[in-house]
Amino acid sequence: ILISTQVEIAELGAANDFNEGGTASLGAARMASEGGEEVMMAQVRTASVDLVASEVFGADATIDFLKIDVEGVEIPALRSSLELLGRGGVRDASVEFGPAKRWAESEQHGVAGANPAAAVDVLHKIDAAGYDAYLTWGRFCVPPLNATGELADEAFARECQLELVKSGLPHPCRKEVARLVARGSV
């Protein structure tokens, strides 16, 4: 089962990319080859994060750690977890996030809602659900939204991790982000 925004049957394409260790992408049906490489297509069942969590752990369970690494469709995957997050069903989460150019590639392959505007919308909903969010890479932390409420430049510049933690719980980024905000750096 692949995670998607809804339960459906979708096309899954997988190519052997020796530099990346192999890749897979979910979206509308595509040609059987990309860039001269043959792409194997298969129909697979998809399900939302909320549905899988409910079926596997129970409707009221709390998940200690949720990891999402879905190569460019993290915004739809996050959207599919809003019910779970809205009830406080995740303590901590880490999501491979960006760069934003990868979202445009996902939309070209038929994945709706993988764009910067959708990311801002989902991040506001995550904040309203009571989670603190941080973009991290290496030892650096910044808020995912800048002071004007737009997506932080880092989401366009590099692949980051989006760290989510229930408000009030400790996180290594909390002090660093508070210091940046106090200095007016973000």
Side-chain angles (χ1 to χ4, degrees):
I1 293 177
L2 292 176
I3 301 300
S4 181
T5 55
Q6 59 193 358
V7 176
E8 63 183 343
I9 300 295
E11 293 282 332
L12 173 68
N16 192 7
D17 180 341
F18 296 106
N19 294 322
E20 295 287 329
T23 59
S25 59
L26 178 66
R30 292 178 282 142
M31 293 178 15
S33 67
E34 288 184 6
E37 242 184 273
E38 211 168 289
V39 176
M40 297 174 55
M41 301 298 288
Q43 287 194 343
V44 294
R45 177 179 172 232
T46 66
S48 69
V49 171
D50 291 333
L51 177 65
V52 171
S54 176
E55 287 183 359
V56 173
F57 301 108
D60 297 326
T62 297
I63 297 170
D64 289 326
F65 184 75
L66 174 67
K67 171 68 173 157
I68 299 175
D69 182 349
V70 289
E71 302 300 324
V73 292
E74 53 269 22
I75 304 310
L78 279 167
R79 185 174 303 284
S80 81
S81 68
L82 287 175
E83 183 179 317
L84 179 66
L85 293 169
R87 68 170 180 78
V90 176
R91 178 185 154 92
D92 291 300
S94 181
V95 181
E96 188 176 282
F97 196 82
K101 69 179 182 175
R102 195 162 51 185
W103 302 334
E105 294 167 4
S106 294
E107 283 203 327
Q108 289 173 357
H109 290 294
V111 177
N115 58 61
V120 169
D121 180 61
V122 167
L123 288 166
H124 282 295
K125 289 176 178 166
I126 289 169
D127 179 63
Y131 286 84
D132 296 329
Y134 309 97
L135 283 182
T136 65
W137 67 98
R139 295 171 46 185
F140 299 97
C141 303
V142 297
L145 299 175
N146 61 27
T148 61
E150 298 169 336
L151 203 56
D153 291 342
E154 286 75 14
F156 293 95
R158 65 181 51 86
E159 182 178 299
C160 302
Q161 293 294 313
L162 175 67
E163 305 288 336
L164 305 176
V165 62
K166 279 187 181 179
S167 295
L169 293 178
H171 190 279
C173 289
R174 183 165 280 124
K175 288 181 183 176
E176 175 64 15
V177 168
R179 186 181 65 76
L180 291 171
V181 169
R183 283 188 6 207
S185 299
V186 292

